[in-house]
CSV table of all heavy atoms in Angstrom, one decimal:
chain,number,residue,atom,x,y,z
A,1,PHE,N,116.7,92.7,108.0
A,1,PHE,CA,115.3,92.5,107.4
A,1,PHE,C,115.4,92.6,105.9
A,1,PHE,O,114.7,91.8,105.2
A,1,PHE,CB,114.3,93.4,108.0
A,1,PHE,CG,113.4,92.8,109.0
A,1,PHE,CD1,113.6,93.1,110.4
A,1,PHE,CD2,112.4,91.9,108.7
A,1,PHE,CE1,112.8,92.5,111.4
A,1,PHE,CE2,111.6,91.3,109.7
A,1,PHE,CZ,111.8,91.6,111.0
A,2,LEU,N,116.1,93.5,105.4
A,2,LEU,CA,116.2,93.7,103.9
A,2,LEU,C,116.8,92.5,103.3
A,2,LEU,O,116.4,92.1,102.2
A,2,LEU,CB,117.0,95.0,103.6
A,2,LEU,CG,116.3,96.3,103.9
A,2,LEU,CD1,117.3,97.5,103.6
A,2,LEU,CD2,115.1,96.5,103.0
A,3,ASN,N,117.8,91.9,103.9
A,3,ASN,CA,118.4,90.7,103.4
A,3,ASN,C,117.4,89.5,103.4
A,3,ASN,O,117.3,88.8,102.5
A,3,ASN,CB,119.7,90.4,104.2
A,3,ASN,CG,120.8,91.3,103.9
A,3,ASN,OD1,120.9,91.8,102.7
A,3,ASN,ND2,121.7,91.5,104.8
A,4,TRP,N,116.7,89.4,104.5
A,4,TRP,CA,115.7,88.4,104.6
A,4,TRP,C,114.6,88.5,103.5
A,4,TRP,O,114.2,87.6,102.9
A,4,TRP,CB,115.0,88.4,106.0
A,4,TRP,CG,115.8,87.9,107.1
A,4,TRP,CD1,116.8,87.0,107.0
A,4,TRP,CD2,115.6,88.1,108.5
A,4,TRP,NE1,117.3,86.6,108.3
A,4,TRP,CE2,116.6,87.4,109.2
A,4,TRP,CE3,114.8,89.0,109.2
A,4,TRP,CZ2,116.7,87.4,110.6
A,4,TRP,CZ3,114.9,89.0,110.6
A,4,TRP,CH2,115.8,88.2,111.3
A,5,GLU,N,114.2,89.8,103.3
A,5,GLU,CA,113.1,90.0,102.3
A,5,GLU,C,113.6,89.7,100.9
A,5,GLU,O,112.9,89.2,100.1
A,5,GLU,CB,112.7,91.5,102.4
A,5,GLU,CG,111.8,91.8,103.6
A,5,GLU,CD,110.3,91.3,103.4
A,5,GLU,OE1,109.8,91.5,102.3
A,5,GLU,OE2,109.8,90.6,104.3
A,6,LYS,N,114.9,90.1,100.6
A,6,LYS,CA,115.4,89.8,99.3
A,6,LYS,C,115.4,88.3,99.0
A,6,LYS,O,115.0,87.9,97.9
A,6,LYS,CB,116.8,90.3,99.2
A,6,LYS,CG,116.9,91.8,98.9
A,6,LYS,CD,118.3,92.3,98.6
A,6,LYS,CE,119.2,92.3,99.8
A,6,LYS,NZ,120.6,92.9,99.5
A,7,VAL,N,115.7,87.5,100.0
A,7,VAL,CA,115.7,86.0,99.9
A,7,VAL,C,114.3,85.6,99.6
A,7,VAL,O,114.0,84.7,98.7
A,7,VAL,CB,116.3,85.4,101.1
A,7,VAL,CG1,116.0,83.9,101.1
A,7,VAL,CG2,117.8,85.6,101.3
A,8,LEU,N,113.3,86.1,100.4
A,8,LEU,CA,111.9,85.6,100.2
A,8,LEU,C,111.4,86.0,98.9
A,8,LEU,O,110.6,85.2,98.3
A,8,LEU,CB,111.1,86.3,101.3
A,8,LEU,CG,111.1,85.7,102.7
A,8,LEU,CD1,110.2,86.4,103.6
A,8,LEU,CD2,110.7,84.2,102.7
A,9,ARG,N,111.7,87.2,98.4
A,9,ARG,CA,111.1,87.7,97.1
A,9,ARG,C,111.7,86.9,96.0
A,9,ARG,O,111.0,86.7,94.9
A,9,ARG,CB,111.3,89.2,97.0
A,9,ARG,CG,110.5,90.0,98.0
A,9,ARG,CD,110.7,91.5,97.9
A,9,ARG,NE,110.0,92.1,99.1
A,9,ARG,CZ,109.4,93.3,99.0
A,9,ARG,NH1,109.4,94.0,97.8
A,9,ARG,NH2,108.8,93.8,100.0
A,10,LEU,N,112.9,86.4,96.1
A,10,LEU,CA,113.4,85.6,95.1
A,10,LEU,C,112.8,84.2,95.1
A,10,LEU,O,112.6,83.6,94.0
A,10,LEU,CB,115.0,85.5,95.2
A,10,LEU,CG,115.8,86.7,94.8
A,10,LEU,CD1,117.2,86.6,95.2
A,10,LEU,CD2,115.7,87.0,93.3
A,11,GLU,N,112.6,83.7,96.3
A,11,GLU,CA,112.1,82.3,96.4
A,11,GLU,C,110.6,82.2,96.1
A,11,GLU,O,110.1,81.2,95.6
A,11,GLU,CB,112.3,81.8,97.9
A,11,GLU,CG,112.0,80.3,98.1
A,11,GLU,CD,112.4,79.8,99.4
A,11,GLU,OE1,113.0,80.6,100.3
A,11,GLU,OE2,112.2,78.6,99.7
A,12,PHE,N,109.8,83.3,96.4
A,12,PHE,CA,108.4,83.3,96.3
A,12,PHE,C,107.9,84.5,95.5
A,12,PHE,O,107.2,85.4,96.0
A,12,PHE,CB,107.7,83.2,97.6
A,12,PHE,CG,108.1,82.1,98.5
A,12,PHE,CD1,109.0,82.3,99.6
A,12,PHE,CD2,107.8,80.8,98.2
A,12,PHE,CE1,109.4,81.3,100.4
A,12,PHE,CE2,108.2,79.7,99.1
A,12,PHE,CZ,109.0,80.0,100.1
A,13,PRO,N,108.3,84.6,94.2
A,13,PRO,CA,108.1,85.9,93.5
A,13,PRO,C,106.6,86.2,93.3
A,13,PRO,O,106.2,87.4,93.3
A,13,PRO,CB,108.8,85.6,92.1
A,13,PRO,CG,108.8,84.1,92.0
A,13,PRO,CD,109.0,83.6,93.4
A,14,TYR,N,105.8,85.2,93.1
A,14,TYR,CA,104.3,85.5,92.9
A,14,TYR,C,103.7,85.9,94.2
A,14,TYR,O,102.8,86.9,94.1
A,14,TYR,CB,103.6,84.2,92.3
A,14,TYR,CG,104.1,83.8,91.0
A,14,TYR,CD1,105.1,82.8,90.8
A,14,TYR,CD2,103.7,84.5,89.8
A,14,TYR,CE1,105.5,82.5,89.6
A,14,TYR,CE2,104.1,84.1,88.6
A,14,TYR,CZ,105.1,83.1,88.4
A,14,TYR,OH,105.5,82.8,87.2
A,15,LEU,N,104.0,85.4,95.3
A,15,LEU,CA,103.5,85.7,96.5
A,15,LEU,C,103.8,87.2,96.9
A,15,LEU,O,102.9,87.9,97.5
A,15,LEU,CB,104.0,84.8,97.7
A,15,LEU,CG,103.5,85.0,99.1
A,15,LEU,CD1,102.0,84.8,99.1
A,15,LEU,CD2,104.2,84.1,100.0
A,16,PHE,N,104.9,87.7,96.4
A,16,PHE,CA,105.3,89.1,96.7
A,16,PHE,C,105.2,90.0,95.5
A,16,PHE,O,105.7,91.1,95.6
A,16,PHE,CB,106.8,89.1,97.2
A,16,PHE,CG,107.0,88.5,98.6
A,16,PHE,CD1,107.2,87.1,98.7
A,16,PHE,CD2,107.0,89.3,99.7
A,16,PHE,CE1,107.4,86.6,100.0
A,16,PHE,CE2,107.2,88.8,101.0
A,16,PHE,CZ,107.4,87.4,101.1
A,17,SER,N,104.4,89.6,94.5
A,17,SER,CA,104.3,90.4,93.3
A,17,SER,C,103.6,91.7,93.5
A,17,SER,O,103.8,92.7,92.8
A,17,SER,CB,103.5,89.6,92.2
A,17,SER,OG,102.3,89.1,92.7
A,18,ASN,N,102.7,91.8,94.6
A,18,ASN,CA,102.1,93.1,94.8
A,18,ASN,C,102.5,93.7,96.1
A,18,ASN,O,101.9,94.6,96.7
A,18,ASN,CB,100.5,92.8,94.9
A,18,ASN,CG,99.9,92.6,93.6
A,18,ASN,OD1,100.3,93.2,92.6
A,18,ASN,ND2,99.0,91.7,93.5
A,19,SER,N,103.7,93.3,96.6
A,19,SER,CA,104.3,93.9,97.8
A,19,SER,C,104.8,95.2,97.6
A,19,SER,O,105.0,95.7,96.5
A,19,SER,CB,105.4,92.9,98.4
A,19,SER,OG,104.8,91.7,98.7
A,20,ARG,N,105.1,95.9,98.7
A,20,ARG,CA,105.7,97.2,98.7
A,20,ARG,C,107.1,97.1,98.0
A,20,ARG,O,107.7,96.0,98.1
A,20,ARG,CB,106.0,97.7,100.1
A,20,ARG,CG,104.8,97.9,101.0
A,20,ARG,CD,105.3,98.3,102.4
A,20,ARG,NE,104.1,98.5,103.3
A,20,ARG,CZ,103.5,99.6,103.4
A,20,ARG,NH1,103.9,100.7,102.7
A,20,ARG,NH2,102.5,99.7,104.3
A,21,PRO,N,107.6,98.2,97.4
A,21,PRO,CA,109.0,98.2,96.9
A,21,PRO,C,109.9,97.9,98.1
A,21,PRO,O,109.5,98.2,99.3
A,21,PRO,CB,109.2,99.6,96.4
A,21,PRO,CG,107.8,100.1,96.1
A,21,PRO,CD,106.9,99.4,97.1
A,22,LEU,N,111.1,97.4,97.9
A,22,LEU,CA,111.9,97.0,99.0
A,22,LEU,C,112.7,98.2,99.6
A,22,LEU,O,112.7,98.3,100.8
A,22,LEU,CB,112.9,95.9,98.5
A,22,LEU,CG,113.7,95.1,99.6
A,22,LEU,CD1,112.7,94.5,100.6
A,22,LEU,CD2,114.5,94.1,98.9
A,23,PHE,N,113.2,99.0,98.8
A,23,PHE,CA,114.2,100.0,99.3
A,23,PHE,C,113.6,101.5,99.3
A,23,PHE,O,112.8,101.8,98.5
A,23,PHE,CB,115.5,100.0,98.4
A,23,PHE,CG,116.2,98.7,98.5
A,23,PHE,CD1,116.1,97.9,97.3
A,23,PHE,CD2,116.9,98.3,99.6
A,23,PHE,CE1,116.8,96.7,97.3
A,23,PHE,CE2,117.6,97.1,99.6
A,23,PHE,CZ,117.5,96.3,98.5
A,24,SER,N,114.1,102.3,100.2
A,24,SER,CA,113.7,103.7,100.4
A,24,SER,C,113.9,104.5,99.1
A,24,SER,O,113.2,105.4,98.8
A,24,SER,CB,114.4,104.3,101.5
A,24,SER,OG,114.0,103.8,102.8
A,25,SER,N,114.9,104.1,98.3
A,25,SER,CA,115.2,104.8,97.1
A,25,SER,C,114.1,104.6,96.1
A,25,SER,O,114.0,105.3,95.1
A,25,SER,CB,116.5,104.2,96.5
A,25,SER,OG,116.4,102.8,96.3
A,26,GLU,N,113.2,103.7,96.3
A,26,GLU,CA,112.0,103.4,95.4
A,26,GLU,C,110.7,104.1,95.9
A,26,GLU,O,109.7,104.0,95.3
A,26,GLU,CB,111.8,101.9,95.3
A,26,GLU,CG,113.0,101.1,94.8
A,26,GLU,CD,112.8,99.6,94.9
A,26,GLU,OE1,112.2,99.1,93.9
A,26,GLU,OE2,113.1,99.1,95.9
A,27,ASP,N,110.8,104.9,97.0
A,27,ASP,CA,109.7,105.6,97.5
A,27,ASP,C,109.1,106.6,96.5
A,27,ASP,O,109.9,107.2,95.8
A,27,ASP,CB,110.0,106.3,98.8
A,27,ASP,CG,110.2,105.3,100.0
A,27,ASP,OD1,109.5,104.3,100.0
A,27,ASP,OD2,111.0,105.6,100.9
A,28,SER,N,107.8,106.9,96.7
A,28,SER,CA,107.2,107.9,95.9
A,28,SER,C,106.0,108.4,96.7
A,28,SER,O,105.6,107.8,97.7
A,28,SER,CB,106.7,107.4,94.5
A,28,SER,OG,105.6,106.5,94.7
A,29,PRO,N,105.4,109.5,96.3
A,29,PRO,CA,104.2,110.0,97.1
A,29,PRO,C,103.1,109.0,97.2
A,29,PRO,O,102.3,109.0,98.1
A,29,PRO,CB,103.7,111.2,96.3
A,29,PRO,CG,105.0,111.7,95.7
A,29,PRO,CD,105.8,110.5,95.3
A,30,SER,N,103.0,108.0,96.2
A,30,SER,CA,101.9,107.0,96.2
A,30,SER,C,102.4,105.7,96.7
A,30,SER,O,101.6,104.7,96.7
A,30,SER,CB,101.3,107.0,94.8
A,30,SER,OG,102.3,106.6,93.9
A,31,SER,N,103.7,105.5,97.0
A,31,SER,CA,104.2,104.2,97.3
A,31,SER,C,105.3,104.3,98.4
A,31,SER,O,106.3,105.0,98.2
A,31,SER,CB,104.8,103.5,96.0
A,31,SER,OG,105.3,102.2,96.3
A,32,THR,N,105.1,103.5,99.5
A,32,THR,CA,106.1,103.5,100.6
A,32,THR,C,106.8,102.2,100.6
A,32,THR,O,106.1,101.1,100.6
A,32,THR,CB,105.4,103.8,101.9
A,32,THR,OG1,104.6,105.0,101.9
A,32,THR,CG2,106.4,103.8,103.1
A,33,SER,N,108.1,102.2,100.6
A,33,SER,CA,108.9,101.0,100.6
A,33,SER,C,108.8,100.2,101.9
A,33,SER,O,108.5,100.8,102.9
A,33,SER,CB,110.3,101.3,100.2
A,33,SER,OG,110.9,102.0,101.3
A,34,PHE,N,109.2,99.0,101.8
A,34,PHE,CA,109.4,98.1,103.0
A,34,PHE,C,110.4,98.8,104.0
A,34,PHE,O,110.1,98.8,105.2
A,34,PHE,CB,109.8,96.7,102.6
A,34,PHE,CG,110.1,95.8,103.8
A,34,PHE,CD1,109.2,95.1,104.4
A,34,PHE,CD2,111.4,95.7,104.3
A,34,PHE,CE1,109.5,94.3,105.5
A,34,PHE,CE2,111.8,94.9,105.4
A,34,PHE,CZ,110.8,94.2,106.0
A,35,GLU,N,111.5,99.2,103.4
A,35,GLU,CA,112.5,99.8,104.3
A,35,GLU,C,112.0,101.1,105.0
A,35,GLU,O,112.3,101.2,106.2
A,35,GLU,CB,113.7,100.2,103.4
A,35,GLU,CG,114.9,100.8,104.2
A,35,GLU,CD,116.1,101.3,103.3
A,35,GLU,OE1,116.0,101.1,102.1
A,35,GLU,OE2,117.0,101.8,103.9
A,36,THR,N,111.4,101.9,104.3
A,36,THR,CA,110.8,103.2,104.9
A,36,THR,C,109.8,102.9,106.0
A,36,THR,O,109.8,103.4,107.1
A,36,THR,CB,110.3,104.1,103.9
A,36,THR,OG1,111.4,104.6,103.1
A,36,THR,CG2,109.6,105.3,104.5
A,37,TYR,N,108.9,101.9,105.6
A,37,TYR,CA,107.8,101.5,106.6
A,37,TYR,C,108.4,101.0,107.9
A,37,TYR,O,108.1,101.3,109.0
A,37,TYR,CB,106.9,100.5,105.9
A,37,TYR,CG,105.7,100.1,106.8
A,37,TYR,CD1,104.5,100.8,106.7
A,37,TYR,CD2,105.8,99.1,107.8
A,37,TYR,CE1,103.4,100.4,107.5
A,37,TYR,CE2,104.8,98.8,108.6
A,37,TYR,CZ,103.6,99.4,108.4
A,37,TYR,OH,102.5,99.1,109.3
A,38,GLN,N,109.4,100.1,107.7
A,38,GLN,CA,110.1,99.4,108.8
A,38,GLN,C,110.8,100.4,109.7
A,38,GLN,O,110.7,100.4,110.9
A,38,GLN,CB,111.1,98.4,108.3
A,38,GLN,CG,111.6,97.4,109.4
A,38,GLN,CD,110.6,96.3,109.7
A,38,GLN,OE1,109.5,96.3,109.2
A,38,GLN,NE2,111.0,95.4,110.6
A,39,ARG,N,111.5,101.3,109.1
A,39,ARG,CA,112.2,102.4,109.9
A,39,ARG,C,111.3,103.3,110.6
A,39,ARG,O,111.5,103.6,111.8
A,39,ARG,CB,113.1,103.2,108.9
A,39,ARG,CG,114.0,104.2,109.7
A,39,ARG,CD,114.9,105.0,108.7
A,39,ARG,NE,116.0,104.1,108.2
A,39,ARG,CZ,116.1,103.6,107.0
A,39,ARG,NH1,115.1,104.0,106.1
A,39,ARG,NH2,117.1,102.9,106.6
A,40,ALA,N,110.2,103.7,110.0
A,40,ALA,CA,109.2,104.6,110.6
A,40,ALA,C,108.6,103.9,111.8
A,40,ALA,O,108.3,104.5,112.8
A,40,ALA,CB,108.2,105.0,109.6
A,41,GLU,N,108.3,102.6,111.6
A,41,GLU,CA,107.7,101.8,112.7
A,41,GLU,C,108.6,101.7,113.9
A,41,GLU,O,108.2,102.0,115.1
A,41,GLU,CB,107.2,100.4,112.3
A,41,GLU,CG,106.8,99.6,113.5
A,41,GLU,CD,105.7,98.6,113.1
A,41,GLU,OE1,105.0,98.7,112.1
A,41,GLU,OE2,105.6,97.6,113.8
A,42,LEU,N,109.8,101.3,113.7
A,42,LEU,CA,110.8,101.1,114.8
A,42,LEU,C,111.1,102.5,115.5
A,42,LEU,O,111.3,102.5,116.7
A,42,LEU,CB,112.1,100.6,114.2
A,42,LEU,CG,112.0,99.1,113.7
A,42,LEU,CD1,113.4,98.6,113.2
A,42,LEU,CD2,111.4,98.2,114.7
A,43,TYR,N,111.0,103.6,114.8
A,43,TYR,CA,111.2,104.9,115.4
A,43,TYR,C,110.1,105.3,116.3
A,43,TYR,O,110.2,106.2,117.1
A,43,TYR,CB,111.5,105.9,114.4
A,43,TYR,CG,112.9,106.0,113.8
A,43,TYR,CD1,113.2,106.9,112.8
A,43,TYR,CD2,113.9,105.2,114.4
A,43,TYR,CE1,114.5,106.9,112.3
A,43,TYR,CE2,115.2,105.3,113.9
A,43,TYR,CZ,115.5,106.2,112.9
A,43,TYR,OH,116.8,106.2,112.4
A,44,THR,N,109.0,104.6,116.3
A,44,THR,CA,107.9,104.9,117.3
A,44,THR,C,108.1,104.1,118.6
A,44,THR,O,107.5,104.4,119.6
A,44,THR,CB,106.5,104.5,116.7
A,44,THR,OG1,106.4,103.1,116.6
A,44,THR,CG2,106.2,105.1,115.4
A,45,TYR,N,109.1,103.2,118.6
A,45,TYR,CA,109.4,102.4,119.8
A,45,TYR,C,110.2,103.2,120.7
A,45,TYR,O,111.0,104.1,120.3
A,45,TYR,CB,110.1,101.1,119.4
A,45,TYR,CG,109.4,100.1,118.6
A,45,TYR,CD1,110.0,98.9,118.2
A,45,TYR,CD2,108.1,100.2,118.2
A,45,TYR,CE1,109.4,97.9,117.4
A,45,TYR,CE2,107.4,99.3,117.5
A,45,TYR,CZ,108.1,98.1,117.1
A,45,TYR,OH,107.4,97.2,116.3
A,46,SER,N,110.2,102.9,122.0
A,46,SER,CA,111.1,103.5,123.0
A,46,SER,C,112.5,103.0,122.8
A,46,SER,O,112.7,101.9,122.2
A,46,SER,CB,110.6,103.1,124.4
A,46,SER,OG,110.8,101.7,124.6
A,47,PRO,N,113.5,103.7,123.3
A,47,PRO,CA,114.9,103.2,123.2
A,47,PRO,C,115.0,101.7,123.7
A,47,PRO,O,115.7,100.9,123.2
A,47,PRO,CB,115.7,104.2,124.0
A,47,PRO,CG,114.9,105.4,123.9
A,47,PRO,CD,113.5,105.0,123.9
């Protein structure tokens, strides 16, 4: 997903201009990255 998102953000920079940061290394108390959000969501799923 991170690879897919990188491709999209390069191809459509304006569309993604207000999107979440991409990587968990960019997280802060006021901003949750795409990577962290995705991981947290998948961890709510059953095995």
Side-chain angles (χ1 to χ4, degrees):
F1 259 106
L2 287 173
N3 287 329
W4 283 338
E5 283 285 313
K6 281 191 285 186
V7 169
L8 281 181
R9 292 177 187 219
L10 286 172
E11 190 175 357
F12 307 106
Y14 294 99
L15 183 58
F16 288 87
S17 56
N18 287 322
S19 295
R20 298 174 182 275
L22 195 53
F23 300 105
S24 292
S25 57
E26 302 171 90
D27 285 329
S28 70
S30 60
S31 180
T32 305
S33 67
F34 174 87
E35 180 182 359
T36 293
Y37 184 95
Q38 192 79 357
R39 183 176 289 109
E41 172 151 336
L42 294 182
Y43 277 175
T44 67
Y45 296 177
S46 67

